[in-house]
Amino acid sequence: MNFTTIPLQNPSFFNNSQSSLAGALQGCIGSLDGACLEKLLLHCASALENNDVTLAQQVMWVLNNLASSNGDPNQRLTSWFLRALISRASRVCPNATNLHGGSNLERRLMSVTELAGYVDLIPWHRFGFCASNSVIYKAIEGQTKVHILDFSITHCMQWPTLIDAIAKRPEGPPSLRILVPSWRPQVPPLLNVSSEEVGQRLANFAKFRDVPFEFHVIEDLNYDMFLSQLNPSTLQIRDDEALVVNCQNWLRYLHDDEQIKGAISSRDIFLDRVKDLNPCIVTIVDEDCDLGNSTTLTSRIATCFNYLWIPFDALETFLPKDSKQRLDYEGDIGHKIENIIGFEGNQRIERLESCNKFSQRMENSGYMSVPFSEETIKEVKSLLDEHASGWGMKKEEHDMLVLTWKGHNSVYATAWVIVPTTPYGHE
């Protein structure tokens, strides 16, 4: 990032634009406190929203001297926010000729081995895998044929553990079919092999565990036609199979158009389509943060900064500052930050919904939450014991489990069944 065009030694530097800059800097020069860094980010965002390029440049210069991709968690996080703000400014402010550092993020492709290490680094994904697999295992007790529709961004990393568990069932394993859509949001983690190769690896593992197994990729399931193709024919639904619908960090990428008068949310349409498939269980895991249809850049920054501090702080506890694994992981979070901060409209695909809001959406769509068993809770706690002591878990309303870091909510896991109806169609 290059801000050398800003007059660093000019005493009028802090006074040539809005007087709010002086207030933003009060007590922050030389400080690396997270609250100060957040305050400066908010002032920069406000300047951009008001098309005050001069003020935005000045605040960016200050942030550039405080943020560091090799500093403490707050500095490292701020460096990604700053990068996203510069990228945004270079696109939406045509007069911002002195801003450099736009979006050139490389999309890292992982091997399967690297993906396993990525998932194991912190319990961000494994928490959901563990909670969902446990409730799925219970839901398919006694079933001889199981069909899983897997909507996930983690390339089926969840399923070896479930395959291993059902292989040990006293009554013997069921036959297992897993279907995944060909469409996947282009967000990290990205894999350097195809879905078909992932399926072949799962098939080899299932064969080793003596579990009858099939894997299918629904090739024509693209996003533009996605909702219309959620039907028994396209999804190869069979009446003699117990159907499981699994959504892991995925539903946030369906457009939520409720802010448009008369529009129906794609998420509600998806849930209605799933309900028509009559699954025995629906598992939903996602990040517990409200970044949905907020229209202001400043509100998104405030929410996102305080939420994404969690993984940056967690990585600080066990990885060196210059660890490549840490820098790569933080870079993947940087993709998320760039989309949340740098883009608007349909280009902004990261639209997280808090656990309470989404649970209310599920209930409104005719679903009923399923409590997690004590055995599930014990399994999740055992998983968290493998990680840093700052990770914890709590139960909240709607029967959900929430992963926490130093008491802050990070990821929620829920399980749902369809509300039963009477023969007359009433609950």
Side-chain angles (χ1 to χ4, degrees):
M1 300 174 190
N2 182 2
F3 294 89
T4 56
T5 56
I6 296 176
L8 307 187
Q9 305 302 324
N10 190 334
S12 64
F13 169 64
F14 297 118
N15 300 315
N16 285 339
S17 190
Q18 296 179 4
S19 60
S20 61
L21 179 58
L25 295 172
Q26 186 67 38
C28 287
I29 295 296
S31 170
L32 302 182
D33 176 76
C36 285
L37 293 170
E38 180 188 354
K39 184 179 180 182
L40 288 167
L41 289 170
L42 293 175
H43 272 74
C44 183
S46 178
L48 289 175
E49 287 183 314
N50 292 321
N51 204 31
D52 189 339
V53 177
T54 301
L55 176 58
Q57 286 179 308
Q58 293 173 354
V59 180
M60 285 177 182
W61 177 82
V62 176
L63 284 166
N64 193 52
N65 283 276
L66 295 177
S68 169
S69 60
N70 288 299
D72 67 24
N74 287 318
Q75 290 177 289
R76 297 166 83 103
L77 179 60
T78 301
S79 72
W80 285 107
F81 274 87
L82 177 57
R83 183 169 185 160
L85 284 169
I86 294 172
S87 176
R88 179 188 179 98
S90 67
R91 289 193 309 275
V92 303
C93 298
N95 296 325
T97 56
N98 295 326
L99 296 175
H100 302 277
S103 175
N104 290 306
L105 293 180
E106 295 183 5
R107 296 197 173 272
R108 177 169 63 110
L109 296 179
M110 303 181 194
S111 67
V112 174
T113 301
E114 288 171 330
L115 178 60
Y118 171 93
V119 168
D120 286 341
L121 197 58
I122 59 176
W124 205 264
H125 293 290
R126 291 183 67 204
F127 163 79
F129 295 171
C130 183
S132 296
N133 281 347
S134 183
V135 78
I136 290 170
Y137 182 88
K138 184 174 179 59
I140 62 174
E141 279 182 346
Q143 300 289 342
T144 58
K145 296 181 180 181
V146 177
H147 177 190
I148 297 176
L149 293 179
D150 184 30
F151 302 102
S152 169
I153 66 168
T154 47
H155 309 280
C156 297
M157 289 297 294
Q158 176 177 348
W159 302 124
T161 304
L162 181 67
I163 291 171
D164 187 62
I166 63 177
K168 302 172 184 175
R169 285 201 326 188
E171 68 273 31
S175 64
L176 177 63
R177 283 200 309 139
I178 296 179
L179 269 72
V180 300
S182 56
W183 174 78
R184 179 191 184 279
Q186 289 302 298
V187 297
L190 299 174
L191 205 56
N192 66 0
V193 299
S194 66
S195 295
E196 287 79 5
E197 182 169 337
V198 171
Q200 186 57 55
R201 289 170 182 256
L202 281 177
N204 291 339
F205 180 71
K207 183 178 181 180
F208 173 73
R209 301 297 287 124
D210 294 323
V211 175
F213 183 81
E214 293 179 35
F215 184 88
H216 300 281
V217 179
I218 310 300
E219 292 294 348
D220 57 351
L221 205 59
N222 59 73
Y223 184 78
D224 291 336
M225 300 178 64
F226 177 75
L227 294 174
S228 64
Q229 293 172 316
L230 286 177
N231 58 70
S233 175
T234 303
L235 300 175
Q236 305 175 25
I237 304 299
R238 300 173 186 170
D239 292 337
D240 62 343
E241 294 176 323
L243 177 63
V244 173
V245 177
N246 180 71
C247 300
Q248 296 276 334
N249 297 289
W250 187 86
L251 282 172
R252 78 180 81 136
Y253 299 108
L254 292 182
H255 296 318
D256 185 19
D257 302 320
E258 289 180 328
Q259 75 274 24
I260 302 174
K261 187 175 180 180
I264 301 176
S265 167
S266 295
R267 298 173 194 182
D268 289 335
I269 296 173
F270 173 83
L271 294 175
D272 286 341
R273 296 280 193 276
V274 166
K275 190 166 58 174
D276 291 342
L277 300 175
N278 195 32
C280 68
I281 195 76
V282 177
T283 52
I284 295 177
V285 174
D286 219 319
E287 298 172 353
D288 189 10
C289 181
D290 193 1
L291 291 170
N293 293 317
S294 172
T295 56
T296 67
L297 179 62
T298 51
S299 64
R300 290 208 301 276
I301 285 181
T303 301
C304 189
F305 187 87
N306 286 284
Y307 178 69
L308 290 179
W309 163 84
I310 295 172
F312 277 79
D313 191 59
L315 292 170
E316 173 81 359
T317 62
F318 66 98
L319 287 178
K321 294 186 183 301
D322 59 353
S323 162
K324 184 180 185 303
Q325 192 177 25
R326 178 177 177 179
L327 291 168
D328 284 344
Y329 199 101
E330 291 173 346
D332 289 339
I333 300 173
H335 281 279
K336 179 195 296 287
I337 294 171
E338 182 182 44
N339 187 257
I340 292 169
I341 304 306
F343 294 92
E344 300 293 343
N346 288 338
Q347 288 184 303
R348 181 162 66 87
I349 63 171
E350 290 278 355
R351 295 179 181 269
L352 284 162
E353 193 168 11
S354 70
C355 60
N356 288 326
K357 282 188 176 181
F358 198 85
S359 292
Q360 189 59 58
R361 184 190 294 276
M362 292 294 292
E363 292 183 349
N364 293 342
S365 296
Y367 291 84
M368 179 173 63
S369 61
V370 176
F372 291 93
S373 68
E374 289 302 317
E375 183 62 29
T376 298
I377 293 171
K378 186 184 302 182
E379 289 180 22
V380 174
K381 286 181 177 178
S382 177
L383 165 68
L384 297 184
D385 287 342
E386 301 174 16
H387 293 272
S389 59
W391 293 106
M393 182 194 65
K394 62 183 179 181
K395 292 191 288 185
E396 292 198 348
E397 57 182 323
H398 304 289
D399 298 311
M400 71 180 67
L401 294 183
V402 179
L403 175 69
T404 63
W405 171 254
K406 296 181 178 178
H408 299 274
N409 287 17
S410 59
V411 179
Y412 67 88
T414 57
W416 304 85
V417 294
I418 300 169
V419 174
T421 57
T422 69
Y424 300 99
H426 299 292
E427 295 180 14

